[in-house]
Each structure stands twice: as C-alpha cells, then as structure tokens.
Amino acid sequence: MTAGSPCIGLTDAGAAGGDREQGLDTHDALDGFLAGIERRALRMAECALGNRDDALDVVQDAMIRLCQRYARRDPDEWRPLFYRILQNGIRDHYRRTAVRNRFRSWLRPRSGTGASDAGPVDGMQTVADPVNSQPDALVEREHAMVRLQTVLRQLPQRQQEAFMLRVWEGMDVADTAGVMNCSQGSVKTHLSRALQRIREQLEGYTDHAD
C-alpha cells in the first residue's frame, strides 16, 4: 500500500550504539505492526469514506502520525492509538468534505439541466482477499460485502465507528471507548443500535443468498 516504510527517520543516525540498536528494533517492530494492520485499516477507511484514494490518504497519514508521535510507546498501546488517529482522520475528512460540498452547492448553476454529480467511487470491492475460492463463491462474497458496506454507510457515524471497531477489528469495549473518546456505556449503546439497524436492513437477504 505504501511506497517504503512510513517510519523512515525513526532512528537517529547520530545516536549511540545501544540507543541506535534499540531504535532499529523499534523501527522493525512498528513496521511489522503496520504491515499487519494496514489491510484492515484500509477496508475500514474505505467503508467509511467510500473512496479508495481518500482511504489510502487517511490510512497513510495515520501510520505516519503513529510513527512520529508514539513509536516509543509500549507496543501494546499501538493498536488503540492507531485507530484513534485513524478515526480522527476520518472525521476530519468528513468535515472537509462537508465544507467543500457546501461551497459546491452555492456555486452550482441553478438551471436544473446539468448532469448530476457522480456518487462516491466504491473502492472497497477492489481490495480482494487472497483466498482460493470458486468463482461463484467469490461473487457471492462480493455481493454480501457490498450489501453490508451499503448498510454501514447509512449508519450514523458513531454507530458505524462502534461496529467497525468492535465487530470488524475485534477491539474490546475499553479500547473502543478510548478510540471513540466516550464512555463504555456509550460504546455498548452505539453498537446495539448499529446491530439492530444492520439486522433490519439485511433481514431476508442472507436467506435469499442461501
């Protein structure tokens, strides 16, 4: 996904031998962490933003920020810290997009004859899982993923965050609350409402797919 390590420059070329060795070990460990998490993070960002290029930018920026700010924190802290940065980046993107859309609406001609703006590019399905499956199974899996993605994008932002962090990423309630900057009770409420909405929207779909 990235051209080179986002943690380049983590070690100090002028550091003493022991410190430099420790820095190289941290660099390698952090690179390994990011390599293991980037695919899931990209899917999460694509699901939220609906555009592969935007998702790549947000995930890359989150990786760089983690390296710059928290490289020397305990590795057990990297995961919640990374997702907190990522979710903040997604929210910032929402805000910037809302501002741009307001300006576009003010500047757009009111003739009513122009072509409508195209919707967001759906890039999530371009991230294929490296599995050996039959073509029919792959198609069915893609249909299910696209359907779920559509439902997730219709959720309020906080419900979407709770679902993606708890269900998709498998984070516990405490870490999710830290990422979302809310109470654990709020996480449970958001997740419960998200699951209820998802079940309602997908009711009958899985039966039909079978």
Side-chain angles (χ1 to χ4, degrees), residues 128-138 141:
D129 289 324
V131 296
N132 296 319
S133 301
Q134 296 299 318
D136 288 348
L138 286 174
R141 181 171 182 163

Side-chain angles (χ1 to χ4, degrees), residues 155 159 163 189-199:
L155 294 176
Q159 292 180 24
F163 178 87
T189 298
H190 290 311
L191 179 59
S192 176
R193 291 174 179 171
L195 290 173
Q196 180 179 356
R197 179 66 181 275
I198 291 169
R199 291 188 187 108

Side-chain angles (χ1 to χ4, degrees), residues 96-114:
R96 291 194 300 270
T97 300
V99 170
R100 287 197 299 268
N101 287 342
R102 283 199 297 271
F103 277 108
R104 287 171 184 163
S105 68
W106 294 335
L107 297 173
R108 186 178 298 124
R110 299 292 181 177
S111 63
T113 59

Side-chain angles (χ1 to χ4, degrees), residues 41-61:
L42 178 58
R43 284 226 180 199
M44 182 180 292
E46 282 185 309
C47 183
L49 302 177
N51 182 285
R52 186 172 186 272
D53 289 338
D54 290 341
L56 284 168
D57 289 343
V58 170
V59 171
Q60 175 73 13
D61 184 65

Side-chain angles (χ1 to χ4, degrees), residues 1 37-52 54-56 58-59 63 82-83 86-87 90 94 122-131 138 141-149 152-153 160 163-165 168-169:
M1 185 185 76
I37 208 170
E38 67 178 3
R39 182 182 181 80
R40 301 181 69 84
L42 178 58
R43 284 226 180 199
M44 182 180 292
E46 282 185 309
C47 183
L49 302 177
N51 182 285
R52 186 172 186 272
D54 290 341
L56 284 168
V58 170
V59 171
M63 289 180 169
F82 172 78
Y83 278 110
L86 181 64
Q87 290 300 326
I90 290 171
Y94 279 142
D122 186 0
M124 190 171 179
Q125 61 265 38
T126 65
V127 186
D129 289 324
V131 296
L138 286 174
R141 181 171 182 163
E142 283 300 309
H143 286 170
M145 181 61 73
V146 169
R147 175 62 178 161
L148 176 59
Q149 180 187 13
L152 286 174
R153 285 180 185 162
Q160 184 187 100
F163 178 87
M164 295 300 289
L165 292 170
W168 172 256
E169 185 55 28

Side-chain angles (χ1 to χ4, degrees), residues 5-120:
S5 167
C7 297
I8 291 174
L10 179 62
T11 56
D12 182 358
D19 290 341
R20 178 164 176 75
E21 275 187 31
Q22 184 177 5
L24 289 171
D25 289 342
T26 299
H27 179 285
D28 291 343
L30 193 49
D31 266 355
F33 165 78
L34 294 176
I37 208 170
E38 67 178 3
R39 182 182 181 80
R40 301 181 69 84
L42 178 58
R43 284 226 180 199
M44 182 180 292
E46 282 185 309
C47 183
L49 302 177
N51 182 285
R52 186 172 186 272
D53 289 338
D54 290 341
L56 284 168
D57 289 343
V58 170
V59 171
Q60 175 73 13
D61 184 65
M63 289 180 169
I64 292 172
R65 288 176 185 271
L66 183 74
C67 292
Q68 291 175 337
R69 299 179 182 180
Y70 303 113
R72 290 177 174 80
R73 297 283 284 270
D74 189 313
D76 289 340
E77 298 181 50
W78 286 343
R79 189 161 171 256
L81 285 169
F82 172 78
Y83 278 110
R84 184 183 302 171
I85 297 169
L86 181 64
Q87 290 300 326
N88 286 338
I90 290 171
R91 292 181 201 125
D92 288 343
H93 186 276
Y94 279 142
R95 285 191 286 268
R96 291 194 300 270
T97 300
V99 170
R100 287 197 299 268
N101 287 342
R102 283 199 297 271
F103 277 108
R104 287 171 184 163
S105 68
W106 294 335
L107 297 173
R108 186 178 298 124
R110 299 292 181 177
S111 63
T113 59
S116 60
D117 291 340

